[in-house]
Amino acid sequence: MRLLHLLSAVLLFPSALTSFVAAADTPESVQLDNDYDESLLLKTLPGNSVLASFRFVSNGTFNDHHHTVFPRSLAQILEHSNARELHLKFSLGRWDAEQWGAQIWDGHTGGGTGVELWAWVEADDDAAADKRWTTLTNALSGLFCASLNFIDSTRTIRPVLSFQPEGHHANPDRLHLLHGGLPREPVCTENLTPFLKLLPCKGRAGISSLLDGHRLFDAQWQTMSIDVKPVCNSDGSQCRLQVVQTVDMVLDVERSLQRRDSPVPKPRPLDQLNCDPTRSYGSGDNCFPQSNLADLPWSLSEIFGRPLHGSCPLGTTDVCVVAPADRQVFASQASAEIKTGDKRCYTLPQKSDFDLLLPRQSPPLPIEVTPPPLYASRSFTGHGQERGGVQAVIRNPSPTETVKMIYLESLPWFMKPYLHTLKTTIPNSLVDLYYRPNLDRQRGAHLEAALEIPPNSTLTLTYDFDKSVLRYTEYPPDANRGFDIAPAVITTDKGYQIRTTSLLLNLPTPDFSMPYNTIILSSTVMALAFGSVFNLLVRRLVGAEEVPLRGQKLRGLVAKIKRLGEGKRKAE
Amino acid sequence: MKLRITTPIPTLLFTLFALLLQLSCVHSQHTSNWAVLVSTSRFWFNYRHLANVLSMYRTVKRLGIPDSQIILMLADDVACNPRNVFPASVFNNADRGLDLYGDNIEVDYRGYEVTVENFIRLLTDRVEPDTPRSKRLLTDDRSNIFVYMTGHGGNEFLKFQDAEEISAFDIADAFEQMWEKKRYHQMLFMIDTCQANTMYSKFYSPNILATGSSKLDQSSYSHHADNDVGVAVIDRYTYYNLEFLENNVKNASSKHTMKDLFDSYDTKKIHSDPGVRTDLFHRNLDEVLITDFFGNVQNVETDGVGEDEKWKVDVSELARLAANITSPKKQQKEIKVEELKGKAEKKISAFKVEEKASWTQGVVGATALVACALAWFGGSFMPK
């Protein structure tokens, strides 16, 4: 025990020293950010929802053995697998663009449903890159408690247009971009736990103390993302590795407040319902509930279920609220407010709890929502178990601007698209098309299309595909549920990224008791065949007239006895 | 001459005695504790199996086994299942006093990863080279292992994921291989499933203590249901095991023995006949502490003679370590195997699909057509 203490003291001391020295001798060359920053952005959304965006930025060195705030476990994995830039996303739910508008951070923190991972791996050739990618996915699966090791060659693609490296790389020619996703992967507390452990304050202080799995996974939409990239200052002399961890979620205020009162959501009694009197059938006992006529009051500790434990002493912490300028916001004492437009930011106290309160606002204030550059949805068409079609509907709401975008689709190998059936409803909208056909059990199809959508119009992209029949052992244990197809990724030329929802593909599913039925049926046939042949061989066939009639023997016996008796009498 | 002969005898005797002493102590010696906790059932209505396993997870964690030495296998996700009214929570009691999922949990194998193959690979450590440490059972011949399994089973089999089965023979062979590879010191095998006692009937490796919830042709029953969760939340056998552990084994220094635990089993409460197999385990159960399997080894440092010496040894050891730490560059040069820093070869890529109507294509097409026509005409004019 003592040895451990001494060891930790020795290990910690030089690291503390280096960070101190670094801060002291490079004051002017630090356009590079601080070692650690965290910020929480809260934004009221229409329909009594609140968007909470947590952002943690840590900077560290890559090849050094001293890790101050940069998570060491992650650095080791990156070094071991030669990954130079990494993006990992865990997401649940759907971003309702119609109601909430454009996604925060231009959609760069949001991933596809389940888990999505892409990385730039440095390697000599494709085979080496594949090997390192496998190392990376396996290591990450251990670190984040997710089945990332299932991202094998059938789920990996090399996108051409959609993703560009964000960091400053020394030799970009040697980087291989690999991308994979697991749309079926559940996201839960076991993924949040390692996520929080990467943070310097480990969820004990600062904004991360608000993060509670019980509220995060109760959200309407949530995403956790980890982005690692090297960043250099302007002359490229000093480079550091930056990890940006974000958690974005949309909380339903009404639901969160209900959780506080009773853990089980129960319908409200009739007298507390907000009935719509304009409905003709809404009289007496009937009630047509109407959305809330007021902005509900909420506070940080109420919607997150726990208070914010001061700021993280290892870096700067700030909390900002974006709400209509007229809405009142109360912050707890010992915090200063800085107001810019409809954004209000607060500095946090060091060692005491912090809370924010937004009181009830009736009637609700109109909330301005920035429309996204595109709306997108994707669905299956067709019927039957043999073939089907995919239809992606993409709408450009802008009245003046043409939007250039890239549509990326990564399909599993058992979904075989026909490229000649790829059609767009707007003529000449297809600018470029990249395609890599699937190979059974080896790789999935990869489709990337550069499209142009004129202002105020809707583009429908369709294609047909064939469904493969899997082998008996290739079906998952819950095959009848269907197979999840990864979301399509849409990237506009201005860098905004959206993802469609994942799809559920039904494949022809055998009856899994089939082998047993087959065994039973064939056994029956064999038994019948064997039985009849055996009968023929062993039984002796006798003609009907050859067989003595029934009772003939008895009668013969009786006759004999009679004859005997007669003989005796004669003898007497 | 006489002296020369007699001197070795006492020393020999002494060493023999010391050896014997060591041998007699060897049974209680283990240096680490590991737990393998497996829930093999998929689907929401098997909620109770996950709750069983998570209850055991909380218990071993409470008694000091760290997450790095617990292999938790959950075949399905119930905590964040859309059907769960309490997101990110799993309860094992209708009073919902304790959230088993909590704030800090590490699931090592989950979902489709929980297969018979992975389970046996884990036990025998025959894993893929890239497997991370958290997914491996890194035990040695001084490790005590607690294996807990729950799911749906039958006579000598246990179902995994509702799709495949592990048989009693498979587990027995895997344990034998572990013994041969010196992967455990002692093992406690606990299983809660229908006809559970048949699952350990085939074991033949030494130092395994086994217990199960029900005998052949007997079902294992659930304890009670929570109406808000909507399904049964725990099985009887696990419930009464937990009850004993919660009420009696309060901390890692508890002196309760496995005998106390086994004596607490009550057929009337459990509704089935729990079994215990001790023939492979050569120790008296009233000497085996529950914490030998459920808790972690407690390293206790005693103050006493030679403390100053130890301190000096520690310091010299640290100085050695520090010397290694402060000169990492030398090491780096040895390790780094530099690759060719040329441009990487990238052959795998999606190809560009292009439709070009160039005149050369037209000419080629027309020529081909004309050639075909000529050949046909030529053929029809050929003399017969």
Side-chain angles (χ1 to χ4, degrees), chain B residues 291-329:
Chain B
T291 50
D292 277 1
F293 294 106
F294 286 87
N296 201 13
V297 182
Q298 304 293 310
N299 287 321
V300 183
E301 255 181 54
T302 47
D303 284 349
V305 199
E307 193 63 9
D308 292 347
E309 294 299 310
K310 268 189 206 164
W311 190 80
K312 276 173 193 162
V313 171
D314 283 0
V315 167
S316 65
E317 183 72 4
L318 276 175
R320 199 181 56 78
L321 277 173
N324 280 345
I325 290 166
T326 44
S327 59
K329 281 185 186 132

Side-chain angles (χ1 to χ4, degrees), chain A residues 126 132 175 188 190 214, chain B residues 80 99 101 339 346-347 352:
Chain A
D126 293 314
R132 284 173 178 174
L175 297 183
C188 206
E190 64 261 30
H214 302 98
Chain B
C80 291
D99 171 20
Y101 230 63
E339 322 172 357
K346 293 185 202 176
K347 283 180 183 162
K352 198 168 180 176

Side-chain angles (χ1 to χ4, degrees), chain A residues 11-27:
Chain A
L11 282 174
L12 279 175
F13 187 65
S15 60
L17 201 75
T18 47
S19 69
F20 175 75
V21 167
D25 72 357
T26 56

Side-chain angles (χ1 to χ4, degrees), chain A residues 1-3 6-7 10-11 63 65 82 122-126 130 132 134-135 138-139 141-142 145-147 149-150 158 160 171-176 184-191 193 197 212-214 217-218 259 263-265 306 419 432-437 446 476-478, chain B residues 42-43 67 74 76-77 79-80 84-89 96 99 101-108 110-113 130-132 134-135 161-163 165 228 301 307 311 314-315 317-318 321-322 325 328 332 336 339-354:
Chain A
M1 213 53 211
R2 169 171 293 156
L3 188 106
L6 277 170
L7 187 69
V10 167
L11 282 174
N63 278 323
H65 287 263
N82 285 50
E122 190 175 333
D124 281 334
D125 51 22
D126 293 314
D130 280 336
R132 284 173 178 174
T134 313
T135 309
N138 273 290
S141 89
C145 294
S147 314
N149 48 323
F150 282 144
R158 289 170 154 84
V160 183
N171 27 10
D173 286 344
R174 292 173 46 76
L175 297 183
H176 296 253
R184 173 83 176 95
E185 191 67 11
V187 183
C188 206
T189 315
E190 64 261 30
N191 306 118
T193 304
K197 280 183 183 165
D212 175 8
H214 302 98
F217 300 110
D218 195 20
R259 286 261 178 217
V264 186
R306 45 169 82 174
L419 201 58
D432 245 341
L433 184 65
Y434 283 87
Y435 180 67
R436 189 158 190 248
H446 158 207
D478 52 352
Chain B
R42 183 166 274 277
F43 305 118
D67 257 326
L74 299 179
D76 202 358
D77 161 56
C80 291
N84 194 350
V85 206
F86 310 100
S89 307
R96 296 199 286 273
D99 171 20
Y101 230 63
D103 285 334
N104 192 340
I105 185 166
E106 283 177 22
V107 185
D108 301 302
R110 63 173 188 172
Y112 299 135
E113 283 179 287
D130 282 323
T131 310
S134 67
K135 288 184 170 184
Q161 302 258 6
D162 240 15
E165 298 88 28
D228 285 324
E301 255 181 54
E307 193 63 9
W311 190 80
D314 283 0
V315 167
E317 183 72 4
L318 276 175
L321 277 173
I325 290 166
Q332 260 183 9
K336 261 201 176 164
E339 322 172 357
L340 311 159
K341 279 282 180 191
K343 206 181 167 194
E345 262 184 72
K346 293 185 202 176
K347 283 180 183 162
I348 301 177
S349 173
F351 64 85
K352 198 168 180 176
V353 182
E354 284 170 306

